[in-house]
C-alpha cells in the first residue's frame, strides 16, 4: 500500500504550505486518515490532525488549531493539510497516514514516505 505525499518545502515564518497525500481508493473509502509530524530533534512522531471515515469527525492538536486545516477531495482520493501562519516550531517531516489511526500514541496502519517542512525566521 502506497501513500504518496507532496507539497513540502521551505517558507518564512508566517507563510503557508499545502500538503497533499494520494491514497489508494479502497483505503480512502473505508479508513480514517491523519497527518503526523516528526519535529527536528524529537525521536517520536506526534499527531497533527485526524479525520474520520467520510470526513465527519475532525480533530487538531492544540498547537495547530486555527492555523491548519485537514480536508479531503473524495473524487481524487487526496488528503490535504493546509498550513497557514507557519511558525519555526512547525519545522519537521510530515507524514500522512491511514487506517487504524490513533492520535495518542501516534499510530496508523499505513504511512506515507514523509515530506520536509522547514520554517525559517
Amino acid at each position: 500500500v502506497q501513500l504518496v505525499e507532496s507539497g513540502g518545502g521551505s517558507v518564512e515564518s508566517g507563510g503557508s504550505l499545502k500538503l497533499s497525500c494520494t491514497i489508494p481508493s479502497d483505503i480512502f473509502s473505508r479508513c480514517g486518515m491523519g497527518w503526523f509530524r516528526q519535529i527536528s530533534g524529537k525521536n517520536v512522531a506526534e499527531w497533527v490532525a485526524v479525520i474520520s471515515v467520510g470526513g465527519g469527525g475532525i480533530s487538531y492538536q492544540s498547537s495547530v488549531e486555527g492555523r491548519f486545516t485537514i480536508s479531503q477531495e473524495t473524487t481524487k482520493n487526496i488528503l490535504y493539510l493546509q498550513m497557514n501562519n507557519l511558525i519555526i516550531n512547525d519545522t519537521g517531516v510530515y507524514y500522512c497516514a491511514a487506517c487504524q489511526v490513533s492520535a495518542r500514541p501516534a499510530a496508523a496502519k499505513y504511512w506515507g514516505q514523509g515530506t520536509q517542512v522547514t520554517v525559517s525566521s
Side-chain angles (χ1 to χ4, degrees):
V1 174
Q2 191 172 15
L3 281 59
V4 181
E5 302 166 11
S6 62
S10 298
V11 295
E12 293 185 348
S13 180
S16 298
L17 285 172
K18 187 173 185 177
L19 307 182
S20 302
C21 178
T22 301
I23 298 173
S25 59
D26 63 325
I27 292 175
F28 198 97
S29 63
R30 61 180 173 86
C31 286
M33 307 166 204
W35 288 95
F36 298 79
R37 66 187 181 186
Q38 185 165 1
I39 299 298
S40 301
K42 294 187 178 180
N43 293 327
V44 295
E46 62 179 21
W47 78 290
V48 174
V50 294
I51 186 168
S52 61
V53 176
I58 291 175
S59 296
Y60 297 97
Q61 188 201 105
S62 59
S63 70
V64 307
E65 192 154 16
R67 301 187 296 120
F68 291 12
T69 302
I70 187 171
S71 64
Q72 299 170 313
E73 187 167 0
T74 56
T75 58
K76 296 183 178 180
N77 301 324
I78 299 176
L79 178 71
Y80 296 108
L81 184 68
Q82 176 68 48
M83 305 184 293
N84 298 328
N85 195 19
L86 283 158
I87 61 176
I88 291 175
N89 286 354
D90 293 322
T91 295
V93 180
Y94 284 68
Y95 300 89
C96 64
C99 298
Q100 302 171 21
V101 173
S102 168
R104 292 188 181 92
K109 186 172 183 179
Y110 304 113
W111 293 84
Q113 80 280 6
T115 186
Q116 177 70 43
V117 171
T118 303
V119 184
S120 61
S121 59

